[in-house]
Amino acid sequence: MHNLALGLSVAPFDADFDPRFFYRGFQHSAALSFLERSVQGSDSLFVLSGAAGTGKTSTVDFYLKDNEPSLRGGRISEPPAEGDAFLAKVLEAFGFGAVEAEHSELKNLLSVFLVQVAHDGQKALLQIGDPRAISDEVTQELLWLAEVAGKESPLNIVITGDMGLERLLESRRLKPLLDRLRLRHRLDPLSARETHDYLHFRLAAAGCGRPSALLPPTVGMAIYAATGGVPARINELATAVLENVEKDHAPAPTVDDVRVCAARLGLSGGEALGYNCRLEVSRDNATFLEVPLGRDKMLIGRHSFNDICLRDSSVSRHHALIVPDGSAWVVVDLASTNGTMVNGQTVRQRTLADRDEIHVGRFLVVFRGGPPGVPAQPPEDSDFRTTVVFDKEGAEIS
């Protein structure tokens, strides 16, 4: 899909790695910094974990691409259980082709390879991706590689995987390996703001001159709510939404388009979008933020850890909470200094109906929509934080 009718020269959300489309937001910049510190440090074994689809392999790919030609990369997916087969896979990953040799010869070949890498002034980074199990034999070979690497060796090994990897590494049988894995980093899904920026970044990289016109903020927020900020899911859903726009010759997608496509793709986060519940936040009669409600609570306050951060002295650090309760949404005041009002009445807790007006300090938050449905578990580690900053005169700072 090239979306030529949408003014795009290439597919903006293709699943294949392309460094032009690598989004260096907070999460992935932190992961890149972790890789850099680890490769330049003295520990040759380290772990990059995260939920499936968060971009662990693409982060490693970008790091390798960004450090050419001083860094040589290799990758093994699901390592074999036999030690000899594992060492042969390591050699194959670094371009040796299929190698059939005795155990001692395999080790000798690897040692010679590492000497040559060091002689060329390079480093080598081996990625072991998504191991479903790590046998005792492979554990011993990994420990041998770590010893061979030492402080002066160019070899570094990063083990990547989802939450199953973290559980695997905590098993008592792998304690000798665990003792060497002191450096760990977890790549979390994108926040709501990062999802918005990620969508617009990839559209711009594909040649779109006005990303906000093609994917309005409310649609971006809906994509976040349906995907939980997982880049692989975002790519899949955004592709489906844009294909609908292209097919229907529509100027831009709507939240309903996101809901329909999310349901077709089986994205559980899209179920809540069917109710189209959202919060419209305004100040001085000007609406500046619309946030769709998904399945999780929405915390409002002045502190940056809130889901909706309103940095104004009239708002308490943690001011109010909007939470699903059975078939309704409920607003709860969190002992705020100035109180929380619904339709002009100060409340401690109130079930919300469509068009209810919630006053939080100097801000008006209007609840729109019907019931949220039965609450379910939110996407793992979802982050729906949205920050609005005002200057001393009360003007919004973008």
Side-chain angles (χ1 to χ4, degrees):
M1 180 191 71
H2 291 287
N3 289 302
L4 295 178
L6 302 176
L8 305 175
S9 56
V10 294
F13 301 106
D14 194 87
D16 293 337
F17 173 74
D18 185 332
R20 297 174 300 170
F21 290 89
F22 184 80
Y23 169 66
R24 298 185 64 161
F26 172 78
Q27 295 293 344
H28 292 85
S29 291
L32 286 172
S33 296
F34 167 76
L35 289 175
E36 177 66 18
R37 292 193 308 271
S38 301
V39 169
Q40 299 303 326
S42 59
D43 284 16
S44 56
L45 277 168
F46 43 94
V47 172
L48 177 61
S49 65
T54 48
K56 301 178 292 295
T57 294
S58 62
T59 301
V60 173
D61 283 342
F62 185 83
Y63 179 74
L64 290 168
K65 183 71 176 177
D66 203 38
N67 286 275
E68 290 180 338
S70 62
L71 191 61
R72 299 181 62 169
R75 176 174 297 130
I76 299 174
S77 297
E78 299 187 21
E82 300 78 18
D84 287 359
F86 173 72
L87 293 178
K89 281 287 186 182
V90 174
L91 287 165
E92 187 176 346
F94 284 114
F96 278 74
V99 179
E100 293 185 10
E102 297 294 329
H103 186 259
S104 59
E105 188 177 352
L106 291 168
K107 283 189 171 183
N108 185 57
L109 284 171
L110 276 168
S111 298
V112 171
F113 165 70
L114 293 176
V115 170
Q116 184 62 49
V117 171
H119 181 267
D120 293 339
Q122 296 178 312
K123 283 182 173 290
L125 179 61
L126 173 67
Q127 179 189 359
I128 299 177
D130 299 313
R132 293 294 173 257
I134 299 178
S135 68
D136 291 342
E137 289 189 32
V138 170
T139 297
Q140 293 305 312
E141 303 307 339
L142 283 171
L143 292 173
W144 174 79
L145 284 170
E147 291 297 331
V148 169
K151 292 185 178 180
E152 304 301 326
S153 171
L155 178 63
N156 292 272
I157 302 171
V158 57
I159 304 176
T160 62
D162 56 20
M163 300 305 103
L165 171 62
E166 294 187 353
R167 291 190 293 270
L168 175 64
L169 293 177
E170 295 298 336
S171 64
R172 186 175 304 174
R173 182 177 57 80
L174 295 179
K175 188 178 186 304
L177 181 60
L178 184 62
D179 291 340
R180 296 299 300 263
L181 290 168
R182 292 172 291 189
L183 300 178
R184 298 189 186 190
H185 183 81
R186 180 171 174 174
L187 183 58
D188 290 324
L190 303 178
S191 67
R193 180 65 192 182
E194 283 185 303
T195 299
H196 170 275
D197 293 344
Y198 174 85
L199 290 165
H200 287 191
F201 168 80
R202 294 195 66 138
L203 284 173
C208 180
R210 296 181 59 200
S212 59
L214 186 54
L215 283 182
T218 52
V219 173
M221 286 289 189
I223 290 175
Y224 169 81
T227 62
V230 176
R233 298 177 192 166
I234 294 171
N235 293 342
E236 186 180 27
L237 181 55
T239 296
V241 169
L242 290 181
E243 284 177 344
N244 271 10
V245 171
E246 189 175 24
K247 181 180 65 177
D248 297 340
H249 304 289
T254 65
V255 172
D256 281 341
D257 292 325
V258 177
R259 175 182 58 80
V260 171
C261 291
R264 188 171 71 238
L265 294 172
L267 296 173
S268 59
E271 296 170 4
L273 296 173
Y275 299 98
N276 201 24
C277 294
R278 68 186 189 279
L279 301 175
E280 297 175 354
V281 186
S282 62
R283 177 169 170 168
D284 299 328
N285 298 317
T287 299
F288 59 83
L289 181 66
E290 292 187 15
V291 181
L293 292 168
R295 300 172 171 203
D296 202 9
K297 60 180 175 57
M298 191 67 61
L299 186 61
I300 303 173
R302 190 177 72 249
H303 196 282
S304 59
F305 288 155
N306 291 282
D307 301 308
I308 299 178
C309 176
L310 303 174
R311 292 183 179 171
D312 185 86
S313 60
S314 66
V315 180
S316 295
R317 284 169 59 85
H318 301 295
H319 196 108
L321 178 69
I322 297 179
V323 61
D325 180 21
S327 61
W329 286 96
V330 176
V331 59
V332 180
D333 180 69
L334 301 177
S336 61
T337 301
N338 293 321
T340 301
M341 301 179 69
V342 176
N343 300 330
Q345 181 180 2
T346 301
V347 300
R348 293 183 60 186
Q349 180 173 313
R350 173 71 64 86
T351 299
L352 295 172
D354 185 38
R355 300 178 183 272
D356 274 350
E357 297 185 349
I358 308 163
H359 280 88
V360 177
R362 297 187 179 98
F363 300 89
L364 173 64
V365 181
V366 178
F367 174 79
R368 299 279 189 176
V374 178
Q377 292 296 320
E380 188 172 17
D381 296 315
S382 62
D383 182 352
F384 216 137
R385 279 175 267 184
T386 305
T387 301
V388 182
V389 183
F390 291 83
D391 61 20
K392 293 182 180 179
E393 283 70 41
E396 181 181 349
I397 302 174
S398 59

